[in-house]
Amino acid sequence: MDDVPYDLITMGRIGVDLYPLQSGVSLAEVGSFGKFLGGSPSNVAVAGARLGRRVAVVTRTGRDPFGDYLRAELGRFGVDARWVTPVDGLPTPVTFCEVFPPDHFPLYFYRLPKAPDLELWEGELDLAAIRAARIFWVTGTGLCAQPSRATTLAALRVRGAASRAAGGARSCTVLDLDWRPVFWADPAEARAHYREALAHATVAVGNIDECEVATGEREPRAAADALLRAGVELAVVKQGPEGVLAVHRDGTVAEVAPVPVEVVNGLGAGDAFGGALCHGLLAGWELERVMRYANAAGAIVASRLACSAAMPVPAEVEHVLEGGRA
């Protein structure tokens, strides 16, 4: 199948999530943890694979047992890990969280001295595969440091050049705004890098805070319009308890309410939303259906502890859409 384009290739962050098995307890008091594959673009890849898509991820780990674990987990979830390579001298990142439902989930990232997933080099990319993929997904975190920033932008330019050569007919290139200020040496530099990336993307996805970093706008419709002016064709603004707003350049607008859910851990909901968004776009659904499907997938994961291991299969999403409980 090597000559068959991937439905989805994601690129960027990966790590081991260590989530407490006790809810409502600080890390100082937690007695046991569960170990899971983590990192937003890696979770999105898992979400896409669980929905039946042919998926690969481009990232790097340490040359250590945690790196071995992550590659094995990707394979177990049906994600092609051929472009997940080890880096000597840098440990695989670990992330801890505290679980205080319904809306407080502090994260503690251990990515020092540098995360291996930021050691992505343009010369090591399979640009032909990236060019051919039906959807290519990158994140704002990939812009926070070199060489990942240059590599991310190079991959985006390849996608843009392929689109222009095809006379505008193209697959989707998604920029997940993915704002994590702790990853940036100077957060004030972020907007300029986001602006450059948006010029090559066709879809932008982010919550209100992320949209403000990228565009300066917090009001949802103003943020969506600013993302469209920056170059994308579809702007998706996630608003938490207010639902999601999606605005297409052709004038189509979808405003979808959230799915009621008893939240266990909200951290993976956005990644499930992302994988389901890709699934709907690949299926060619109309915009409101895509958003409802993505919302349902996100709600399912919010009702579970883990991120990657919690990603739903199609029957589970359809159950929620038919009125079942997430």
Side-chain angles (χ1 to χ4, degrees), residues 69-111:
Y69 162 76
L70 292 173
R71 283 183 288 277
E73 282 292 275
L74 287 168
R76 186 171 72 87
F77 287 125
V79 177
D80 192 329
R82 69 180 65 191
W83 298 306
V84 182
T85 57
V87 178
D88 291 325
L90 293 177
T92 299
V94 175
T95 302
F96 291 87
C97 82
E98 293 176 323
V99 178
F100 293 96
D103 58 3
H104 186 55
F105 306 98
L107 284 168
Y108 301 86
F109 295 98
Y110 292 82
R111 291 169 60 87

Side-chain angles (χ1 to χ4, degrees), residues 59-62 85-87 90-93 114-120:
T59 188
R60 306 197 74 181
T61 70
T85 57
V87 178
L90 293 177
T92 299
K114 184 180 185 181
D117 55 55
L118 294 173
E119 285 292 301
L120 291 169

Side-chain angles (χ1 to χ4, degrees), residues 9-13 41 57-58 120 125 136-139 151-152 155:
I9 295 178
T10 71
M11 186 167 83
R13 197 162 80 248
V57 62
V58 180
L120 291 169
L125 294 181
F136 179 55
W137 178 288
V138 299
T139 74
T151 302
T152 299

Side-chain angles (χ1 to χ4, degrees), residues 51 135 137 174 203-205 234 236 271-283 285 287 290-291 293-295 297:
L51 294 172
I135 295 182
W137 178 288
V174 183
V203 180
V205 183
L234 174 63
V236 180
D271 300 334
F273 181 100
L277 168 68
C278 292
H279 179 67
L281 293 174
L282 288 164
W285 295 339
L287 188 58
V290 175
M291 293 302 112
Y293 195 94
N295 261 3

